[in-house]
């Protein structure tokens, strides 16, 4: 909420972006807390602060009815996102379209929720338990999305596996607010139309597809990337100035923590927006460019405590080049046709990618025979 309040009052639905900013702050703080030996501080303090901010928003805001509608819509979207779990049961929810990555993330969240960073660094790589070895190996490979769940699940669920689907539903629901913030400010949509478009996106094909294939990291950044581009648009158009530096830096930092691979795409779109406005509106070019440069520097500073798993991980991924197209063909045939026989092709595609690019480890379907919880 404080990040949203930094934006001028004239910005349409600035408070709608609060959940997206909150996700970025929560992920950054929980990840840094875990890496430096204080994992429970963020898990307790941030929800308390978020609740206080929500109450303050209702007390101080002049648009309480609209805020109530936003909350009710978010709740309804969350129910829809959870419906596949209730209908399909845990057999569906745990496996879905990509059991390999699903087990990877669940194992990481399980390990991070029950073992400290120091323990995993010291003994994780040599542990008798496969899930601990995996979690230790991923500490420098964007572990933030699993660390965020690890900070939450012990307080609500008996195992990380049980918490995984509600967590994905929460991440999917948060895309609602990022899209609403974008369509209201970039496209000038009214409240009702904007909320309808945002709801359609949150429960529509693309976000559901990302959720179905268990792409946790990508799903977590759908709302962040749209909010990031929107803030760049607002700065580039002159609608807001230095007031957007902190929210934008935190949003960009959240992307680098959660899914660094999304950063180049988000940066390319943002740069195109900035250049377009600088060419069309030459007035105050220097000021707008300085704001964006300040944001980039602040985002990198935010990443300093976890530099190896954010910026350095991105550089390592970029150095590996694109994935082989055959992997995507095999993978999507499995998703669209429910062709069980193509699982072998997926695994062989991943193995090919690992052998040729060194990008994916070879992960067999029964890799996680150890109990996870």
């Amino acid at each position: 909420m404080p990040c949203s309040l930094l934006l001028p009052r004239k910005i349409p639905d600035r408070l709608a972006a609060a959940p997206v900013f909150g996700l970025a702050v929560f992920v950054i703080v929980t990840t840094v807390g875990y890496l430096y030996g204080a994992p429970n501080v963020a898990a307790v303090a941030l929800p308390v602060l978020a609740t206080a901010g929500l109450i303050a928003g209702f007390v101080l805001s002049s648009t309480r009815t609209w805020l109530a509608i936003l909350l009710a819509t978010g709740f309804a979207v969350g129910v829809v996102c959870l419906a596949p779990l209730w209908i399909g049961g845990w057999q569906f929810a745990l496996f879905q379209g990509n059991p390999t990555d699903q087990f990877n993330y669940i194992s990481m969240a399980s390990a991070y929720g029950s073992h400290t960073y120091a323990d995993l660094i010291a003994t994780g790589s040599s542990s008798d338990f496969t899930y601990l070895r995996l979690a230790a190996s991923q500490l420098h490979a964007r572990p933030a999305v699993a660390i965020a769940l690890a900070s939450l699940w012990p307080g609500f669920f008996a195992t990380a596996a049980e918490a995984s689907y509600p967590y994905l539903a929460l991440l999917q629901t948060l895309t609602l607010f990022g899209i609403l913030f974008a369509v209201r400010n970039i496209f000038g949509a009214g409240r009702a139309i904007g909320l309808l478009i945002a709801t359609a996106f949150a429960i529509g094909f693309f976000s559901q597809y990302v959720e179905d294939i268990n792409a946790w990291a990508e799903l977590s950044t759908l709302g962040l990337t749209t909010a990031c581009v929107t803030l760049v648009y607002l700065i580039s158009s002159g609608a807001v100035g230095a007031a957007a530096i902190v929210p934008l830096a935190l949003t960009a930092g959240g992307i680098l923590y959660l899914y660094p691979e999304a950063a180049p795409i988000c940066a390319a779109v943002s740069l195109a927006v900035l250049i377009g406005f600088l060419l069309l509106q030459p007035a105050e070019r220097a000021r707008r460019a300085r704001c964006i440069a300040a944001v980039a520097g602040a985002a990198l500073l935010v990443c300093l405590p976890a530099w190896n798993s954010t910026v350095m991980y991105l550089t390592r991924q970029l150095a590996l080049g694109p994935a082989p197209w055959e992997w995507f063909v095999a993978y999507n045939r499995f998703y669209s046709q429910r062709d069980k026989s193509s699982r072998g092709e997926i695994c062989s595609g991943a193995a090919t990618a690992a052998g040729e690019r060194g990008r994916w480890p070879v992960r067999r379907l029964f890799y996680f025979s150890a109990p996870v919880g």
Side-chain angles (χ1 to χ4, degrees), residues 320 322-324 327 346-363:
L320 294 173
W327 190 91
I346 297 167
C347 293
S348 64
T352 301
E356 294 180 358
R357 308 285 185 175
R359 187 166 184 173
W360 287 284
V362 180
R363 306 164 181 167

Side-chain angles (χ1 to χ4, degrees), residues 15 43 69 74 100 128 153 163 180-181 188 230 260 266 304 353:
L15 297 185
I69 292 174
T100 305
D128 293 334
W153 73 257
L180 175 61
F181 186 60
T230 303
C266 184
L304 275 180

